[in-house]
């Protein structure tokens, strides 16, 4: 390489590097991928369900957006919103828990870390719970436990499948043992749902850890995960500290769990609704010899679909 | 336990009491050697020791209780099992390639009645602790526990579980084998068991690793044991960003038997001997045996459906929240 070529090359590369580092997106019009740095028109990104068009990175989705992505328009019937957090232990670390709740409520517009309700997915009824990581890291306290139990109990009563989109750092320490016991409480409700031979599918999204992993996230008849989500029981740092060694590559990811047999399928977000609807449809009661039962069953289902839509209309009116 | 050995494991707040006790012992020896009657003085000193004992053990802070719960001489699961059963045989293995020494169990006889017993097992010394992984069970431990519970269910034996763990094992191997799944599966399946289940927290109840054998009809706690959502050390590091704040975290988390009784999360507190369970292990075991037996008899009077329904309701009502209209 001659000296002139070397200078020429240097001129070519330097500004490009600087440019990439400096690139900042002023408002919400454009979004930059955290992983590959690709810039996309926010509207396009939303249309692709916040999955990067270049590298396929799945950005965080809030609970409302997730419900829009999964539930047929005009069929969502929220449940459990009347259940609100309190501060049973009068917990005060560097800030009072009571104030923390208020701040998160103001910041996120949510009342706690999960939204639950009934809706249709490709025309099939579904009891859906969606955790929201923005509210105190999706941590599980009394409200998360109560709302999920009410949802699962309703599903058991009406013979609906349950899907829970998990995203949580684990139990909410500010509620002490009350939050640990939510693990048992939700597992109890799932026991009744499962004893009634009904379908439950948790969807593990980034991140699903701690007490949520050690309870309802791992209790699915089938378990789905989004690509490259962190899923595990103990935190990475805890394991690193106890072992004092580097962790294997890809440890505690969706792919790692699939490889070790704890997840059934890794489903890209853009395929999630289709896959869930397909699975739910595959698990509908099927009685080839008793066709009258099929008729009754679908009649009930249709009736319910109508009533959900009607109620929704009444609410929106 | 011999006095000298006890001194090796002395907690700070036990020291004044121990000093007084050894002084009484000295006076007694001197008196015996010189054939002097000091019974009056000794009675006086013993009365003082007794008041001091009540003062110290009656006003322990949550952090001090945590120290007692983790006391290296505190009776362990195997100590209690051996002390309360007429006979017993250990059962090994999860039938999936593992036998976890940190979670032990077997079949035995309590007052003549066959029962299945199991619990976390900490080591008695450093070597033993390494072998038992400090009572931190791996997925194989929880699967062995469930296997034992299903065994009990098949043969109609009441299940007695004992909690004494800093938490479930957090390691690469544990994650690979599905620590979360193993605990989760136990939580759900325990709701379906037909036999009575009684859980006793005998020492340290550490988070999900404790709960993994803790879905019971009755939840008992020894007076100085603790049960917590996260260890106070971890909680302080996360919420206070300072591991030295663990005494504050221990108070804030409400981990003592009295706090948890008040919150309605446990059914009964088992009183400990005046200087805690490690001072008089046999007395503690007698208390435990009686409580377990009363609960077995009481639960045996119910039908299977009744027990399952009550077990469901017991956990279903745990949680504190507001209901707005």
């Amino acid at each position: 390489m001659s000296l002139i070529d070397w200078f020429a090359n240097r001129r070519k590369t330097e500004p490009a590097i600087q440019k990439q580092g400096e690139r900042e997106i002023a408002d919400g019009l454009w979004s930059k991928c955290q992983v590959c740095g690709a810039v996309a028109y926010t509207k396009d990104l939303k249309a692709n369900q916040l999955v990067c068009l270049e590298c396929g990175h799945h950005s965080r989705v809030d609970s409302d957006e997730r419900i829009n992505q999964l539930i047929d328009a005009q069929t969502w019937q929220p449940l459990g919103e009347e259940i609100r957090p309190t501060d049973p232990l009068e917990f005060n670390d560097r800030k009072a828990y009571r104030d923390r709740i208020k701040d998160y409520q103001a910041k996120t517009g949510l009342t706690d870390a999960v939204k639950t309700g009934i809706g249709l997915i490709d025309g099939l009824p579904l009891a859906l719970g969606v955790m929201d990581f923005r509210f105190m890291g999706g941590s599980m306290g009394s409200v998360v436990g109560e709302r999920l139990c009410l949802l699962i109990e309703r599903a058991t009563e009406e013979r609906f499948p349950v899907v829970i989109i998990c995203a949580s750092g684990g139990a909410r320490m500010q509620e002490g043992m009350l939050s640990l016991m939510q693990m048992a409480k939700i597992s109890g409700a799932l026991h009744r749902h499962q004893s009634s031979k009904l379908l439950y599918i948790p969807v593990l999204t980034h991140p699903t850890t701690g007490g949520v992993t050690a309870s309802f996230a791992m209790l699915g008849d089938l378990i789905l995960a989004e690509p490259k989500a962190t899923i595990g029981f103990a935190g990475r740092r805890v394991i690193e500290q106890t072992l004092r060694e580097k962790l294997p590559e890809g440890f505690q990811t969706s792919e790692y769990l699939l490889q070790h047999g704890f997840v059934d399928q890794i489903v890209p977000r853009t395929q999630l609704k289709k896959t869930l609807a397909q699975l739910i449809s595959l698990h509908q009661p099927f009685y080839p010899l008793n066709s009258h039962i099929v008729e009754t069953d679908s009649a009930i289902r249709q009736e319910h679909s109508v009533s959900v839509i009607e109620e929704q209309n009444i609410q929106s009116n | 336990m011999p006095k000298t050995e006890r001194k090796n494991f002395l907690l700070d707040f036990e020291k004044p009491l121990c000093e007084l006790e050894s002084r009484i012992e000295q006076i007694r020896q001197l008196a015996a050697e010189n054939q002097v009657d000091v019974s009056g003085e000794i009675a006086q000193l013993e009365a003082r020791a007794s008041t001091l004992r009540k003062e110290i053990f009656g006003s322990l802070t949550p952090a001090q209780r945590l120290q007692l719960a983790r006391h290296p001489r505190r009776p362990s699961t195997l100590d209690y099992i051996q002390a309360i059963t007429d006979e017993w045989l250990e059962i090994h293995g999860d039938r999936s390639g593992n036998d976890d020494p940190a979670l032990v169990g077997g079949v035995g006889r309590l007052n003549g009645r066959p029962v299945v017993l199991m619990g976390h097992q900490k080591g008695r010394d450093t070597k033993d602790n390494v072998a038992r992984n400090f009572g931190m069970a791996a997925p194989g431990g929880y699967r062995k526990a469930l296997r034992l519970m299903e065994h009990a269910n098949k043969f109609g034996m009441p299940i007695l579980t004992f909690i004494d763990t800093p938490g479930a094992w957090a390691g690469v191997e544990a994650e690979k084998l599905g620590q979360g799944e193993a605990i989760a599966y136990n939580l759900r399946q325990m709701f379906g068991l037909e036999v009575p289940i009684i859980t006793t927290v005998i020492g340290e109840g550490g988070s999900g690793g404790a709960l993994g054998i803790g879905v019971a009809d009755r939840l008992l706690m020894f007076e100085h044991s603790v049960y917590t959502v996260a260890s106070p050390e971890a909680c302080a590091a996360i919420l206070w960003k300072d591991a030295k704040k663990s005494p504050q975290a221990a108070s804030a988390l409400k981990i003592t038997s009295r706090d948890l009784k008040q919150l309605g999360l446990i059914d009964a507190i088992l009183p400990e001997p005046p200087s805690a369970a490690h001072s008089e292990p046999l007395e503690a075991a007698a208390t435990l045996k009686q409580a377990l037996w009363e609960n077995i008899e009481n639960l045996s009077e119910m039908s299977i459906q009744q027990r399952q329904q009550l077990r469901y309701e017991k956990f279903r009502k745990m949680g504190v929240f507001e209901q707005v209209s």
Side-chain angles (χ1 to χ4, degrees):
Chain A
M1 188 196 288
S2 75
L3 199 62
I4 298 166
D5 286 349
W6 185 78
F7 272 113
N9 276 344
R10 207 171 70 142
R11 251 179 253 128
K12 259 187 237 158
T13 50
E14 266 189 355
I17 291 166
Q18 252 181 357
K19 216 178 178 181
Q20 218 177 22
E22 279 172 5
R23 204 151 43 185
E24 269 196 19
I25 285 72
D27 51 20
L29 199 57
W30 297 88
S31 310
K32 188 175 145 185
C33 175
Q34 288 167 342
V35 171
C36 72
V39 176
Y41 194 37
T42 304
K43 251 190 183 170
D44 291 344
L45 194 66
K46 272 204 174 149
N48 203 40
Q49 309 193 346
L50 300 184
V51 177
C52 175
L53 297 147
E54 295 289 325
C55 71
H57 170 66
H58 286 53
S59 314
R60 185 168 294 148
V61 183
D62 65 48
S63 43
D64 283 325
E65 184 67 29
R66 181 75 76 168
I67 293 164
N68 284 337
Q69 289 173 5
L70 294 178
I71 296 294
D72 300 348
Q74 309 295 314
T75 66
W76 179 248
Q77 189 191 328
L79 280 177
E81 263 303 310
E82 71 283 3
I83 310 293
R84 300 290 167 87
T86 60
D87 181 10
L89 307 187
E90 296 178 2
F91 198 94
N92 201 335
D93 44 273
R94 288 169 307 150
K95 188 171 173 183
Y97 176 44
R98 196 170 285 275
D99 296 334
R100 257 181 222 274
I101 295 174
K102 278 191 199 133
D103 288 357
Y104 275 101
Q105 287 176 336
K107 206 168 81 185
T108 61
L110 300 164
T111 50
D112 209 301
V114 74
K115 285 205 167 186
T116 54
I118 310 279
L120 299 181
I121 181 165
D122 282 355
L124 300 168
L126 168 68
L128 177 69
V130 183
M131 301 190 82
D132 200 314
F133 195 76
R134 291 174 305 156
F135 196 97
M136 292 188 83
S139 57
M140 171 172 53
S142 298
V143 173
V144 170
E146 185 66 20
R147 284 186 187 168
L148 287 176
C149 278
L150 288 172
L151 178 79
I152 297 162
E153 284 173 338
R154 169 86 183 269
T156 309
E157 217 170 278
E158 307 213 29
R159 303 199 61 79
F160 292 158
V162 172
V163 168
I164 301 178
I165 311 289
C166 304
S168 173
R172 189 172 295 171
M173 273 183 270
Q174 288 88 345
E175 292 186 24
M177 278 298 289
L178 288 164
S179 61
L180 188 76
M181 289 307 184
Q182 304 308 309
M183 291 167 64
K185 174 167 148 177
I186 299 166
S187 304
L190 283 173
H191 180 260
R192 294 202 156 176
H193 189 256
Q194 110 130 12
S195 305
S196 306
K197 304 211 155 107
L198 295 166
L199 179 68
Y200 166 49
I201 307 176
V203 179
L204 316 183
T205 73
H206 182 74
T208 299
T209 58
V212 169
T213 302
S215 59
F216 58 90
M218 285 292 154
L219 290 175
D221 298 295
L222 303 164
I223 304 178
L224 305 182
E226 283 196 341
K228 294 187 180 148
T230 296
I231 306 161
F233 172 67
R236 269 187 92 90
R237 265 188 308 162
V238 177
I239 301 175
E240 257 166 352
Q241 271 166 15
T242 40
L243 296 179
R244 295 179 195 287
E245 63 180 66
K246 276 272 168 231
L247 298 173
E249 197 160 329
F251 182 61
Q252 291 188 326
T253 58
S254 312
E255 292 72 20
Y256 181 87
L257 267 81
L258 181 72
Q259 194 192 339
H260 290 99
F262 289 101
V263 160
D264 291 290
Q265 289 249 337
I266 294 176
V267 182
R269 191 177 294 153
T270 45
Q271 303 293 312
L272 186 59
K273 177 167 183 174
K274 201 181 117 207
T275 310
L276 283 172
Q278 187 188 6
L279 287 173
I280 291 167
S281 152
L282 279 169
H283 292 83
Q284 294 290 314
F286 180 71
Y287 309 93
L289 299 174
N290 306 323
S291 54
H292 66 283
I293 298 180
V294 179
E295 276 161 32
T296 339
D297 191 69
S298 65
I300 292 169
R301 209 181 313 145
Q302 266 175 3
E303 209 173 288
H304 180 79
S305 320
V306 173
S307 74
V308 168
I309 294 166
E310 275 171 0
E311 277 178 52
Q312 186 66 36
N313 287 342
I314 293 163
Q315 278 185 350
S316 57
N317 291 341
Chain B
M1 163 187 337
K3 282 257 154 53
T4 46
E5 199 185 327
R6 197 175 141 195
K7 262 186 189 154
N8 296 335
F9 297 102
L10 215 52
L11 301 173
D12 276 347
F13 57 86
E14 285 182 306
K15 272 179 190 154
L17 183 65
C18 192
E19 271 163 27
L20 187 59
E21 277 172 352
S22 55
R23 213 176 335 144
I24 295 173
E25 197 57 34
Q26 272 174 354
I27 293 173
R28 228 187 232 133
Q29 267 175 17
L30 275 174
E33 279 164 23
N34 304 322
Q35 294 182 334
V36 198
D37 180 27
V38 285
S39 54
E41 283 89 338
I42 285 191
Q44 225 176 3
L45 282 172
E46 269 181 347
R48 233 174 83 193
S50 162
T51 345
L52 190 61
R53 201 175 289 128
K54 266 184 209 144
E55 262 171 37
I56 290 174
F57 287 91
S59 61
L60 292 173
T61 65
Q64 287 170 329
R65 274 176 209 262
L66 183 66
Q67 280 182 295
L68 273 183
R70 290 174 178 166
H71 197 289
R73 286 287 161 231
R74 197 165 170 85
S76 69
T77 294
L78 286 175
D79 294 331
Y80 281 126
I81 290 180
Q82 271 149 13
I84 65 175
T85 52
D86 316 330
E87 55 175 325
W88 104 286
L89 262 177
E90 189 170 350
I91 287 176
H92 289 277
D94 66 353
R95 297 296 187 267
S96 300
N98 292 289
D99 179 38
D100 188 359
L103 212 164
V104 299
V107 286
R109 212 183 272 282
L110 187 78
N111 289 341
R113 177 163 185 177
V115 291
V116 161
L117 314 103
M118 72 192 77
H120 308 99
Q121 180 63 36
K122 290 184 179 177
R124 290 190 177 85
D125 50 45
T126 313
K127 203 178 145 201
D128 195 16
N129 249 324
V130 170
R132 302 238 179 234
N133 202 18
F134 298 85
M136 295 186 279
Y142 294 101
R143 294 186 181 125
K144 171 164 75 175
L146 187 65
R147 182 189 147 225
L148 277 166
M149 292 186 219
E150 280 164 352
H151 182 86
N153 204 47
K154 178 175 176 184
F155 295 101
M157 303 172 186
I159 298 167
L160 308 175
T161 75
F162 304 104
I163 289 177
D164 190 16
T165 178
W169 172 231
V172 176
E173 193 66 12
E175 295 288 319
K176 191 172 134 190
L177 294 173
Q179 186 67 283
E181 192 272 348
I183 293 171
Y185 195 66
N186 282 15
L187 297 185
R188 186 181 69 194
Q189 297 310 99
M190 286 181 87
F191 279 98
L193 296 172
E194 296 179 349
V195 293
I197 311 171
I198 304 161
T199 293
T200 313
V201 186
I202 57 171
E204 197 179 2
S207 196
L211 190 61
I213 54 166
V215 176
D217 299 307
R218 294 288 150 79
L219 187 49
L220 317 177
M221 258 179 103
F222 265 112
E223 191 181 347
H224 300 308
S225 61
V226 297
Y227 200 171
T228 171
V229 63
S231 79
E233 290 83 358
C235 177
I238 295 166
L239 294 183
W240 276 266
K241 313 270 178 219
D242 181 1
K244 285 187 204 109
K245 293 274 160 62
S246 82
Q248 278 99 313
S251 317
L253 282 168
K254 304 273 188 268
I255 61 175
T256 66
S257 55
R258 214 176 303 164
D259 286 332
L260 295 173
K261 181 84 176 60
Q262 254 170 22
L263 284 167
L265 297 179
I266 62 165
D267 296 291
I269 300 174
L270 307 184
E272 292 190 24
S275 306
H278 64 275
S279 67
E280 301 287 346
L282 289 177
E283 196 183 319
T287 311
L288 176 66
K289 185 174 181 175
Q290 201 193 335
L292 291 176
W293 186 246
E294 279 167 14
N295 280 297
I296 288 177
E297 289 207 306
N298 175 273
L299 288 165
S300 300
E301 285 165 15
M302 298 177 196
S303 70
I304 291 168
Q305 288 74 16
Q306 221 175 345
R307 266 196 306 264
Q308 285 175 334
Q309 177 65 23
L310 289 175
R311 195 182 304 153
Y312 185 79
E313 283 169 14
K314 174 184 174 64
F315 285 91
R316 183 65 186 84
K317 62 174 196 264
M318 289 181 184
V320 178
F321 46 82
E322 267 172 5
Q323 215 156 352
V324 297
S325 46

